[in-house]
Amino acid sequence: MKTMKHLIGFWSLLILGLGSILPVQAQKTAPDVLPVRAFAIAAPAPDEVEQFVTFIDEELGPRNINVLILRVDYGYEYQSHPELRNGEILTKVQAKQMVAICKKHNIRIIPQINLLGHQSWHSNLGKLLEVYPEFDETPHIELPEKYEWPNQDGLYCKSYCPLHPEVHQVVFDLVDEICAVFEADAFHAGMDEVFYIGDDQCPRCGGRDKAKLFADEVWRIRNHLAKNDRTLWIWGDRLLDGKTTGLGMWEASMNNTHRAIDMIPKDVVIGDWHYERPDQTAVYFAMKGFRVLTCNWRKPEVSEKQVEDMYRFRASATKEMKPNFYGMMQTVWSGAGSFMEGFYENKPDREGGNETAWHTFRAMFDKVNELEGQNTLSNP
């Protein structure tokens, strides 16, 4: 009898023990979810807005994209500085159409105006320096009739002078207006590929530390945005040492602005772009205390590897570091219209392959949703 009681007690304990263990074993660990799944593209032309709204509704929303960065620049009906309107411009009504569809899908719109650099393109001067030539960092360098790279002036794109006493009054008016119309809680200032900064012939900047000039400009923009509780986003290439890393002058800096990484505020969000290889500099930015997104463009295989790397970084990070691995962003460097045409017609690249922004768009977000266990739209 005593033995029987012991056996009953043993089996009862075993069953109770299994009951507490088995449910835990049956539970699956929830997949990691990226805080930001972003898509960056030029704002549509006025006659493309309706199609773009449909694209947001049918393609961005179902792919769980939650941030849309729109390069607006001077293509809007600015009221603060109508003299800076450029070409075919978006209206406030059209901007609100995009706001409405993004709200439907819980997508944040972050408008972009290129600040500091990218104030010209090839042989064409940008609107800011066209209207306000006194803001030019290098007025002695003339734009050629036929642009070629490399050239003896080291001309890629012009910059405005960050120390000109009147430049920020103008550009901040535009920043405030475009953020207000898109109801944005963040602003993208670009600030990539700045080759002209601290030019020796500039009466204000000549001889100054280029890293500090760059960092001070980041602080000015950041502090202005902070007045309205908005966050600054920028590209990260000027904060990487192009020589030490071997990344060169495009994806990184060769004019010493990289030291600014230790001078700028940590609440700036960094877009770390690498298009040819899945370079893992996101770890560097995260270790410096920044929220960072890995950015791609037109190579699906590279993009998929970058997505896998971002999830790996998050999985292996400490609890302090994990939030800094902020997500993924696809960048599109064509007009919205040409991108949508290529996407809907599934056009190949020039060699008949899949190295296009629209193929990468599908591959990247399919991979993100696969790793997060979400439904995804299948390739055509």
Side-chain angles (χ1 to χ4, degrees):
M1 238 3 225
K2 191 172 181 182
T3 304
M4 182 63 70
K5 287 181 180 179
H6 286 162
L7 285 173
I8 292 172
F10 169 76
W11 285 111
S12 298
L13 288 172
L14 181 60
I15 291 168
L16 287 171
L18 288 173
S20 63
I21 293 171
L22 288 176
V24 174
Q25 290 178 332
Q27 290 177 357
K28 292 183 178 180
T29 302
D32 188 24
V33 175
L34 296 182
V36 173
R37 298 175 294 280
F39 181 67
I41 194 168
D47 61 354
E48 298 167 347
V49 170
E50 295 293 339
Q51 185 185 22
F52 192 66
V53 167
T54 300
F55 177 76
I56 294 170
D57 192 31
E58 297 181 352
E59 305 297 339
L60 298 192
R63 284 181 169 84
N64 306 306
I65 291 164
N66 58 13
V67 171
L68 171 61
I69 294 169
L70 282 181
R71 296 194 306 277
V72 180
D73 290 316
Y74 303 102
Y76 176 70
E77 59 171 5
Y78 291 106
Q79 303 301 308
S80 58
H81 291 279
E83 73 277 11
L84 292 176
R85 298 174 181 177
N86 189 40
E88 296 181 299
I89 57 174
L90 294 172
T91 67
K92 182 176 182 180
V93 170
Q94 290 173 321
K96 292 301 184 184
Q97 284 180 269
M98 290 183 272
V99 170
I101 195 64
C102 284
K103 283 183 177 180
K104 173 185 173 182
H105 292 285
N106 295 314
I107 298 172
R108 297 166 62 200
I109 295 182
I110 299 178
Q112 177 181 330
I113 301 172
N114 274 313
L115 299 185
L116 194 53
H118 280 281
Q119 301 303 319
S120 69
W121 180 249
H122 288 190
S123 299
N124 301 311
L125 202 60
K127 199 65 179 178
L128 181 69
L129 298 188
E130 175 190 317
V131 176
Y132 297 101
E134 64 271 26
F135 295 165
D136 194 341
E137 173 76 4
T138 54
H140 55 282
I141 295 178
E142 298 182 1
L143 298 179
E145 290 185 13
K146 182 180 179 182
Y147 177 84
E148 293 181 353
W149 179 269
N151 55 72
Q152 64 179 5
D153 290 320
L155 172 65
Y156 173 56
C157 296
K158 287 215 169 207
S159 304
Y160 64 68
C161 172
L163 296 185
H164 192 284
E166 298 173 4
V167 67
H168 296 100
Q169 179 180 342
V170 173
V171 298
F172 286 168
D173 283 346
L174 302 183
V175 169
D176 291 346
E177 188 172 349
I178 206 67
C179 284
V181 74
F182 282 106
E183 302 176 28
D185 61 2
F187 170 78
H188 203 303
M191 300 194 71
D192 59 318
E193 299 174 334
V194 178
F195 290 179
Y196 287 158
I197 185 170
D199 187 80
D200 289 341
Q201 295 189 45
C202 177
R204 294 166 295 271
C205 300
R208 293 179 181 266
D209 182 343
K210 298 179 191 297
K212 190 171 188 306
L213 283 169
F214 188 91
D216 286 350
E217 184 66 1
V218 173
W219 271 105
R220 286 187 199 96
I221 302 167
R222 180 265 182 196
N223 287 346
H224 178 78
L225 292 169
K227 295 175 184 177
N228 290 296
D229 297 320
R230 296 183 178 121
T231 303
L232 173 61
W233 292 39
I234 64 172
W235 305 118
D237 52 286
R238 296 307 92 188
L239 303 174
L240 297 172
D241 184 343
K243 186 172 183 179
T244 300
T245 62
L247 291 171
M249 67 191 303
W250 301 98
E251 295 179 42
S253 171
M254 296 288 278
N255 60 0
N256 293 319
T257 60
H258 64 275
R259 292 184 296 103
I261 196 169
D262 293 319
M263 305 178 191
I264 66 174
K266 301 300 184 184
D267 56 5
V268 173
V269 176
I270 305 295
D272 180 38
W273 60 272
H274 299 291
Y275 299 151
E276 304 301 318
R277 304 178 315 180
D279 292 297
Q280 299 180 16
T281 46
V283 176
Y284 176 66
F285 286 111
M287 291 185 70
K288 287 288 187 178
F290 296 96
R291 287 171 294 171
V292 59
L293 297 103
T294 295
C295 307
N296 54 19
W297 179 18
R298 60 181 179 181
K299 292 197 172 186
E301 293 78 12
V302 171
S303 175
E304 289 177 339
K305 183 63 170 63
Q306 289 172 318
V307 170
E308 291 169 353
D309 284 344
M310 180 55 67
Y311 284 96
R312 180 169 55 84
F313 297 154
R314 288 176 58 81
S316 60
T318 63
K319 65 178 182 179
E320 291 81 7
M321 283 276 290
K322 184 175 180 177
N324 291 347
F325 294 108
Y326 206 29
M328 292 293 303
M329 180 198 304
Q330 192 201 2
T331 61
V332 176
W333 300 106
S334 65
S338 60
F339 175 85
M340 290 187 292
E341 179 184 349
F343 175 83
Y344 287 119
E345 296 180 14
N346 201 34
K347 288 184 174 181
D349 61 28
R350 293 178 181 177
E351 284 72 41
N354 68 348
E355 291 192 353
T356 69
W358 42 91
H359 284 97
T360 303
F361 171 81
R362 290 189 174 99
M364 169 184 168
F365 290 109
D366 281 356
K367 176 61 72 171
V368 168
N369 289 321
E370 172 194 326
L371 293 175
E372 294 188 1
Q374 304 284 344
N375 292 328
T376 187
L377 299 178
S378 58
N379 292 335

